[in-house]
Amino acid sequence: GGIFGGVYMGLSTEVTRGVLDVPGQPYNLLLRRSVDFDGYLDILAGAFDDDRDIAYGLTLIQMLWDRSEPTGYSAHIRDPLPGTPAHEVLMTAAVGDHQVTTLGAHHMARTVGATHLDTGVRSVYDLEAQTDPVTGSAYVEYDFGLPEDPLCNLPQRECDDPHGKLRRLPAAREQIDTFLRTGVVENYCEGGVCSFPEQSGCVGGETNEGVCG
């Protein structure tokens, strides 16, 4: 898993190379932007009238979560703990993920010091982009043709959720195989562009304009 896999790769004394599929951190960022949190948010809304109180509460709880989630450990993928070997990770993310926002993946990638493999999708703030091949830890995005994510603290809900689609793409599977065998990250998408709009599930006209109003 791309979330607790980040903890494992920061602590492992045996595994030196791993793949983090649809990763992210911290939980405080992920939860409010995940459709999986809807039911829990309803419970919190029943106890707190002001949405700001929920935000404050999750921020305070984050200080406890840091002890067990990637925010407390992913930096040690780049800066190994005493007695642990150097680690390398391939981080793969699906743009428009309904369950794990790519904002969390960007956060983890910057913490790890990953290089952004340019797949013709978009640039990512404060990540150095490079065409293949990439050695060392790398971050790779695949696009499935969904509309832009909401700018506010809400999840993407439009079209089909691409969360589980990435691992089934032949190009992604071949990329993973090469990395685990050789430590090299290459782009296997046709023409170097990892965009698959035919898998969006959109019927046309979907947009997140106005959802933050």
Side-chain angles (χ1 to χ4, degrees):
I3 297 177
F4 274 96
V7 176
Y8 181 82
M9 289 305 300
L11 295 175
S12 179
T13 58
E14 298 177 348
V15 178
T16 59
R17 189 180 296 152
V19 178
L20 307 180
D21 185 51
V22 289
Q25 68 178 60
Y27 267 115
N28 184 40
L29 170 64
L30 302 181
L31 292 182
R32 296 297 297 269
R33 292 178 178 269
S34 173
V35 296
D36 296 333
F37 194 59
D38 286 349
Y40 300 101
L41 185 58
D42 289 341
I43 294 172
L44 290 173
F48 299 96
D49 295 331
D50 193 328
D51 188 70
R52 290 172 295 184
D53 290 333
I54 297 176
Y56 296 151
L58 291 175
T59 301
L60 291 171
I61 295 171
Q62 181 62 50
M63 290 189 289
L64 297 176
W65 286 334
D66 286 344
R67 301 180 182 186
S68 61
E69 63 126 294
T71 303
Y73 298 92
S74 59
H76 298 300
I77 296 174
R78 173 171 57 178
D79 182 20
L81 289 166
T84 63
H87 303 97
E88 297 176 345
V89 292
L90 166 60
M91 307 170 61
T92 55
V95 177
D97 194 315
H98 290 195
Q99 300 178 58
V100 183
T101 173
T102 51
L103 290 178
H106 299 169
H107 191 302
M108 184 184 286
R110 286 189 288 267
T111 302
V112 170
T115 299
H116 178 204
L117 175 66
D118 185 1
T119 55
V121 173
R122 62 182 180 180
S123 61
V124 178
Y125 173 73
D126 205 29
L127 285 184
E128 178 186 355
Q130 179 180 321
T131 55
D132 64 339
V134 171
T135 56
S137 293
Y139 175 72
V140 187
E141 287 194 331
Y142 290 77
D143 178 66
F144 291 89
L146 277 68
E148 293 285 337
D149 289 347
L151 294 176
C152 53
N153 204 23
L154 292 172
Q156 170 70 266
R157 300 182 187 276
E158 299 296 333
C159 311
D160 289 345
D161 183 6
H163 183 76
K165 293 182 178 181
L166 183 54
R167 69 198 70 169
R168 296 193 292 269
L169 288 176
R173 293 164 69 96
E174 191 168 2
Q175 182 179 72
I176 289 171
D177 181 71
T178 299
F179 173 72
L180 292 177
R181 293 177 185 274
T182 69
V184 176
V185 181
E186 298 190 41
N187 186 343
Y188 288 99
C189 298
E190 184 175 355
V193 179
C194 296
S195 181
F196 304 88
E198 69 280 0
Q199 297 191 34
S200 69
C202 300
V203 298
E206 286 87 351
T207 177
N208 283 305
E209 293 182 8
V211 301
C212 297

